[in-house]
Amino acid sequence: PRPGVPAVDAQRRIQYSMYKQLALAVALLATLASGAAEEGTCKKDCNVVLTYFDGAGRAEAIRVALFTAGIPFEDKRISFPVWSASKIKAETPGQALPVLEVDGVVYTQSLAIGRWAAKKSSLYPKDDRAAMRCDEIMDIFQEVLTKTPQDPDVEKKKSLREAYSEGPMKIKMELAETYAAAAGPAGFSCGSDLTIADISIWGAVDMIKSGNFDHVPASYIDQFPALVSLAKRVEESDVMTKYWASKKK
């Protein structure tokens, strides 16, 4: 210790200096780790391939999110006959589409892929509760699609889907309608900003309105005016306008 400085005070100063150096070292390591993690994430230098059928379906929200994030990707589309007749299905992990390949690594499940792409853009909420609502709405419409009855017999399929649309499907649509109504005339399902959940809503509304939901009439969607109104706002948003303009190039 210096002359006139008690030994205890000198020791405290040494400890304080050591703590400061340690804190700086931890901060530096955290910065380096963050940078390394950032280098491992995908921005514009990754090789990204999205594979799905030649339609909107479960992949359009992913396409929009990737485009909005500024991530170049190959939009690989496969026809149903090719998918059914070739070895592609057997060789695809999970034997289902869509799949996303990033630098040679394949990922499955449309919602997982969609959330990843949305987080790269402005289409996923930063607030955790808004994110939970976003996930919920995506899951609602995924469930509607996944539980839709299938049957090789056309008449039986028609009967099953008519019952489904007035039962389990309607319950889920009514729930989504309450969220769309709560958004008001100008908002979106998770707040003031457009998210991938809203694009999921638009996709479902568009599928029904365009007659692409077999044995569910286009007029079915009229009983959910808030969903229809929200879907229209999605269509008119800058995100969708820019996306569609890019498809015309």
Side-chain angles (χ1 to χ4, degrees):
R2 298 196 306 271
V5 178
V8 173
D9 288 348
Q11 185 65 27
R12 285 176 178 172
R13 289 183 181 182
I14 292 172
Q15 289 176 342
Y16 177 72
S17 177
M18 291 175 63
Y19 289 150
K20 282 185 67 178
Q21 292 179 29
L22 180 59
L24 288 172
V26 169
L28 177 60
L29 286 172
T31 302
L32 291 174
S34 175
E38 187 65 24
E39 289 176 2
T41 63
C42 185
K43 287 194 173 180
K44 296 183 179 180
D45 56 347
C46 292
N47 183 22
V48 179
V49 181
L50 175 65
T51 303
Y52 190 63
F53 302 111
D54 190 14
R58 299 172 193 258
E60 196 69 357
I62 299 171
R63 294 176 183 130
V64 174
L66 287 171
F67 169 78
T68 304
I71 299 175
F73 68 100
E74 179 185 348
D75 188 8
K76 188 175 181 180
R77 304 195 182 207
I78 301 174
S79 68
F80 282 105
V82 170
W83 171 255
S84 301
S86 68
K87 295 181 180 180
I88 296 175
K89 182 176 181 179
E91 294 172 351
T92 298
Q95 297 190 12
L97 296 178
V99 296
L100 187 75
E101 182 179 329
V102 181
D103 290 338
V105 180
V106 176
Y107 301 87
T108 70
Q109 301 300 322
S110 59
L111 294 189
I113 298 168
R115 278 189 278 266
W116 177 82
K119 289 173 183 178
K120 296 295 181 186
S121 67
S122 58
L123 297 176
Y124 195 81
K126 289 183 170 56
D127 176 80
D128 58 353
R129 291 176 63 180
M132 181 161 57
R133 181 70 79 207
C134 180
D135 291 347
E136 177 193 2
I137 292 170
M138 292 174 71
D139 287 342
I140 286 172
F141 288 101
Q142 182 82 330
E143 185 176 340
V144 167
L145 289 177
T146 302
K147 292 187 176 180
T148 300
Q150 304 289 347
D151 198 279
D153 183 281
V154 176
E155 288 304 316
K156 187 174 182 181
K157 178 180 176 181
K158 181 177 183 292
S159 176
L160 288 171
R161 289 203 174 189
E162 287 173 349
Y164 175 68
S165 66
E166 292 304 318
M169 178 176 174
K170 189 172 183 179
I171 291 171
K172 296 300 181 182
M173 295 294 289
E174 287 173 343
L175 176 58
E177 173 76 359
T178 63
Y179 297 148
F188 293 100
S189 61
C190 302
S192 59
D193 296 325
L194 177 74
T195 69
I196 193 168
D198 302 300
I199 298 172
S200 297
I201 290 173
W202 163 78
V205 171
D206 183 69
M207 181 184 294
I208 296 169
K209 283 179 65 177
S210 61
N212 287 326
F213 204 124
D214 290 350
H215 308 301
V216 176
S219 58
Y220 177 83
I221 200 64
D222 296 341
Q223 62 189 304
F224 308 109
L227 286 174
V228 173
S229 178
L230 191 148
K232 189 173 187 297
R233 293 198 293 278
V234 174
E235 285 184 357
E236 296 172 348
S237 68
D238 288 343
V239 166
M240 296 302 292
T241 300
K242 291 175 181 177
Y243 171 71
W244 282 322
S246 73
K247 308 301 287 184
K248 296 177 182 178
K249 294 180 181 179

